[in-house]
């Protein structure tokens, strides 16, 4: 699964990476411990251009009666996404990417769980594949939400966890965002484990387990935390 991640790059870096000329996204400071239920930065394509904005992490399908599903829908399994009513139509027309520069997972070690941060070896920004939808409450309030797609682990992730987020290859980002692309076979080809040789993992302190903790100490290698 993917339940925590980081996004510490500047707004300018985000706009440059996704070819966005301007944005009203309220991105003011790095986030070292993004958690479900929070507002997260996401990129969609509106049919003409990429747009950067905020979505609430935890999908509430447009047809849901309440928002209670959100906590159970922070992730969607890519292998079955076409089979689930909550995701099938979104795969056709409401795909997004969630920018990140690292994500956390907990590795089981001798009866305890050791938090690990997984990053690109070159420390560059990457895009997690996501889906989004807009739910409207009975009194007309709109809530736009998202979920992160997951896939089988690569060789690096196997000792840590049995799932990992779908990290899109840079050359596949435009295809994923393209609303006119609805071929399931073509889209499924993008939902592969990211090459393990391009990633690395390192242990971090237990403080990342608290959503209240959000500072540079969250990403510091464990040996440097003492």
């Amino acid at each position: 699964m993917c339940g925590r991640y980081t996004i510490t790059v500047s707004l300018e870096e985000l706009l440059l990476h996704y070819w966005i000329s301007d944005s009203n996204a309220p991105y003011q400071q790095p986030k070292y411990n993004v958690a479900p239920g929070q507002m997260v930065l996401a990129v969609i394509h509106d049919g003409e251009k990429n747009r950067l904005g905020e979505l609430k992490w935890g999908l509430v399908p447009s047809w849901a009666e309440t928002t209670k599903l959100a906590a159970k829908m922070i992730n969607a399994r890519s292998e079955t996404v076409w089979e689930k009513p909550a995701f099938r139509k979104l795969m056709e027309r409401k795909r997004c990417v969630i920018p990140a520069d690292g994500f956390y997972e907990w590795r089981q070690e001798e009866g305890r769980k050791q938090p690990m941060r997984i990053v690109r070896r070159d420390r560059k920004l990457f895009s997690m594949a996501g889906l989004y939808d807009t739910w409207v409450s009975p009194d007309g309030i709109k809530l736009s939400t998202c979920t992160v797609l997951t896939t089988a682990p690569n060789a690096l992730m196997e000792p840590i966890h049995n799932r990992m987020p779908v990290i899109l290859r840079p050359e596949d980002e435009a295809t994923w965002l393209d609303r006119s692309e609805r071929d399931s076979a073509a889209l499924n080809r993008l939902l592969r484990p990211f090459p393990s040789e391009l990633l690395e993992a390192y242990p971090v302190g237990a403080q990342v387990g608290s959503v209240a903790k959000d500072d540079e100490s969250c990403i510091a290698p464990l040996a440097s935390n003492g």
Side-chain angles (χ1 to χ4, degrees), residues 163-191:
R163 303 293 294 174
M164 67 180 294
V166 172
I167 298 174
L168 296 168
R169 291 154 181 76
E171 62 270 23
D172 293 334
E173 292 171 356
T175 301
W176 179 254
L177 290 171
D178 184 0
R179 289 184 176 186
S180 66
E181 179 59 81
R182 298 189 178 186
D183 180 73
S184 60
L187 292 170
N188 284 344
R189 283 195 289 270
L190 310 184
L191 306 180

Side-chain angles (χ1 to χ4, degrees), residues 2-5 34-38 40 55-58 74-75 146 148:
C2 176
R4 297 288 178 84
Y5 71 91
V34 184
Q38 296 179 356
V40 302
L55 299 170
K56 191 171 185 179
W57 188 9
I74 64 170
N75 293 153
C146 65
V148 175

Side-chain angles (χ1 to χ4, degrees), residues 51-63:
R51 293 170 51 198
L52 178 70
E54 285 191 311
L55 299 170
K56 191 171 185 179
W57 188 9
L59 187 74
V60 180
S62 59
W63 46 261

Side-chain angles (χ1 to χ4, degrees), residues 211-223:
V211 296
K213 193 70 173 178
D214 185 9
D215 58 38
E216 289 186 61
S217 70
C218 292
I219 67 171
L222 190 59

Side-chain angles (χ1 to χ4, degrees), residues 5-8 31-33 101-107 109 113-123 126 156-157 160 196 199-208 215-225:
Y5 71 91
T6 64
I7 176 69
T8 67
K31 293 186 177 181
Y32 300 96
N33 197 7
D101 55 13
F103 67 94
Y104 298 109
E105 198 51 80
W106 278 254
R107 182 176 65 193
E109 291 185 357
K113 291 185 176 181
Q114 170 61 55
M116 307 289 293
R117 184 175 183 234
I118 297 91
V119 297
R120 285 187 53 139
R121 285 190 177 276
D122 57 14
R123 296 303 194 272
F126 58 81
L156 175 77
M157 284 299 298
I160 302 173
S196 57
L199 300 175
E200 68 176 69
Y202 65 89
V204 294
Q207 65 267 30
V208 300
D215 58 38
E216 289 186 61
S217 70
C218 292
I219 67 171
L222 190 59
S224 301
N225 284 344

Side-chain angles (χ1 to χ4, degrees), residues 6 9 16 23 29 49 124 131 170 175 177 202 210 219 225-226:
T6 64
V9 301
L16 181 63
S23 174
Q29 60 185 14
K49 61 184 183 302
K124 287 185 177 180
L131 302 173
T175 301
L177 290 171
Y202 65 89
S210 169
I219 67 171
N225 284 344

